[in-house]
């Protein structure tokens, strides 16, 4: 089902296509998880559909192959499994592919996602294709941080902005595509990223979030077994658990900062204790940094259990 919040972008793209004004390069700038890739896939189907007047019809062979990622004239380029970057060899391959005539005699489409994962060399290689695109080319770059791409690339693409939907729109779409579930809670845990929520098991997310909260409350009260809890958390659903810890800490910081107190304290550089049995802002920010660090180094071979254990111990120490 079409994400309702993409309606305006969809009609603009369709209008441009019908009028023969579709540019040969689109830059879809999306809020994280807001459906940029979905829109790229939709646009690919539109130009590869054999029923031009109702493209994308969703029923013809062109649409179906594109939807399954098996259309000979559609390439989707991502960082290779072992890497976080799109590399120059991949872009060269893509350029060579685009230079060939379309198998079906129509468009040749390439989706690069996330395009801001192209390294400098890859971006330079892509520039050549952007400067002189072969006839019938549609390049679609999906990015969350366009500023990471060179200006020379940005200036050659038409920008399409995809904003995060309102919570209520996201919930309605999730109910329609995935069926019933506590999507409000799932979105509260994962942030306003309907695409990430759509890939999740709602019951499991809610359960893990509740379990992490219990563990953190327990540690804050000086109880629980940090070693066992840390080991259990490191073993399963670690990224989700870290997001839950991050949410919990953020909540605490907001709660403790109150309205004006936060800015006063930060400006004064003071981190007073004396909030009863709780960690002060300075400590909470320190823990938040540690969790974010752990999240970003997720692929790095560090001892996650130990890092979590130290976090739980810090909470317990705050209770002492
Ligand atoms: Zn079709």
């Amino acid at each position: 089902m079409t994400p309702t919040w993409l309606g305006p972008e969809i009609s603009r793209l369709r209008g441009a296509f019908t009028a023969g004004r579709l540019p040969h390069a689109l830059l879809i700038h999306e809020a994280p998880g807001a459906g940029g890739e979905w829109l790229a896939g939709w646009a690919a189907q539109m130009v590869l559909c054999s029923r031009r007047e109702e493209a994308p019809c969703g029923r013809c062979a062109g649409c179906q192959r594109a939807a399954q990622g098996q259309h000979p004239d559609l390439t989707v380029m991502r960082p290779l499994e072992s890497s976080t970057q799109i590399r120059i060899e991949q872009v060269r391959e893509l350029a060579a592919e685009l230079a060939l005539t379309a198998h079906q005699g129509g468009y040749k489409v390439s989706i690069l996602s996330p395009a801001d994962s192209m390294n400098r060399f890859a971006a330079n290689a892509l520039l050549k294709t952007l400067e002189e695109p072969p006839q019938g080319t549609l390049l679609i770059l999906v990015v969350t941080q366009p500023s990471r791409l060179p200006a020379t690339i940005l200036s050659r693409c038409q920008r399409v902005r995809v904003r995060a939907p309102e919570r209520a729109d996201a919930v309605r779409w999730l109910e329609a595509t995935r069926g019933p579930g506590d999507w409000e809670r799932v979105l509260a845990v994962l942030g306003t990223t309907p695409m990430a929520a759509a890939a999740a098991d709602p019951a499991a997310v809610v359960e893990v979030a509740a379990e992490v909260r219990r563990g953190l409350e327990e540690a804050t009260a000086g109880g629980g077994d940090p070693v066992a809890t840390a080991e259990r958390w490191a073993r399963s659903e670690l990224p989700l658990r870290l997001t839950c810890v991050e949410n919990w800490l953020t909540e605490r910081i907001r709660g403790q900062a109150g309205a004006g107190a936060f800015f006063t304290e930060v400006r004064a550089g003071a981190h007073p204790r004396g909030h009863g049995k709780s960690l002060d802002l300075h400590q909470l920010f320190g823990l938040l940094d540690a969790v974010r660090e752990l999240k970003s180094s997720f692929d790095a071979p560090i001892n996650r259990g130990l890092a979590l254990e130290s976090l739980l111990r810090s909470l317990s120490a705050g209770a002492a």
Side-chain angles (χ1 to χ4, degrees):
M1 186 195 157
T2 305
T4 39
W5 61 94
L6 296 179
E9 286 73 33
I10 284 175
S11 45
R12 261 195 292 277
L13 287 172
R14 187 179 267 139
F17 180 58
T18 313
R21 284 186 288 100
L22 196 66
H24 52 75
L26 294 170
L27 182 108
I28 298 180
H29 174 193
E30 66 159 353
E37 256 195 45
W38 189 96
L39 189 64
W42 180 90
Q45 272 192 48
M46 174 177 72
V47 301
L48 295 170
C49 177
S50 52
R51 303 181 192 188
R52 200 183 162 97
E53 60 295 338
E54 48 172 330
C57 71
R59 300 183 304 277
C60 73
C63 281
Q64 290 188 350
R65 280 192 193 150
Q68 291 156 3
Q70 288 171 352
H71 197 292
D73 294 319
L74 170 64
T75 324
V76 181
M77 182 158 298
R78 306 176 189 284
L80 295 175
E81 233 161 69
S82 56
S83 168
T84 54
Q85 294 183 335
I86 293 181
R87 296 174 181 281
I88 186 167
E89 301 80 29
Q90 292 173 275
V91 172
R92 280 188 183 142
E93 242 172 71
L94 176 137
E97 172 64 30
L98 286 175
L100 301 172
T101 320
H103 292 84
Q104 311 285 332
Y107 265 91
K108 285 189 86 79
V109 188
S110 285
I111 298 173
L112 286 89
S113 181
D116 40 4
S117 67
M118 269 189 294
N119 64 28
R120 194 157 48 90
F121 307 106
N124 275 337
L126 184 70
L127 196 55
K128 292 197 186 74
T129 305
L130 280 171
E131 280 166 344
E132 290 166 34
Q135 188 69 23
T137 295
L138 178 60
L139 270 168
I140 309 176
L141 281 64
V142 182
V143 302
T144 51
Q145 289 179 277
S147 60
R148 292 173 62 182
L149 287 174
T152 43
I153 296 262
L154 299 177
S155 66
R156 284 176 174 82
C157 301
Q158 186 169 313
R159 217 179 273 219
V160 180
R161 188 78 169 93
V162 172
R163 295 193 159 77
E166 299 286 332
R167 180 70 57 89
D169 288 340
V171 168
R172 267 196 298 276
W173 178 74
L174 286 163
E175 279 169 349
T177 47
R178 289 283 323 274
D182 193 350
W183 295 111
E184 283 276 359
R185 287 273 294 285
V186 174
L187 288 168
V189 173
L190 300 178
T192 49
T193 59
M195 294 303 160
D201 171 352
V205 171
V206 171
E207 196 187 308
V208 167
E211 197 216 312
V212 168
R213 176 170 291 271
R214 271 198 309 277
L216 293 168
E217 304 282 353
E218 214 171 48
T220 310
D225 178 349
V227 179
T229 308
E231 268 178 17
R232 197 171 65 247
W233 288 4
R235 256 202 316 270
S236 83
E237 303 278 11
L238 184 59
L240 173 59
R241 286 180 201 279
L242 291 174
T243 301
C244 295
V245 177
E246 200 182 353
N247 292 345
W248 185 84
L249 287 168
T250 311
E251 241 172 68
R252 295 283 301 254
I253 288 171
R254 284 211 189 106
Q256 211 173 93
F262 165 67
F263 294 102
T264 323
E265 278 182 22
V266 170
R267 213 177 298 135
H271 305 291
R273 289 183 176 273
H275 290 282
K277 279 188 160 195
S278 56
L279 297 169
D280 65 33
L281 276 174
H282 180 69
Q283 291 168 308
L284 287 171
F285 273 119
L287 291 178
L288 191 59
D289 282 345
V291 172
R292 288 183 174 156
E293 173 85 28
L294 200 53
K295 269 181 94 174
S296 65
S297 63
F298 190 61
D299 296 321
I302 54 166
N303 196 326
R304 292 149 191 167
L306 273 184
L308 280 171
E309 190 188 319
S310 124
L311 184 118
L312 290 163
R313 283 194 194 286
S314 309
L315 289 175
S316 296

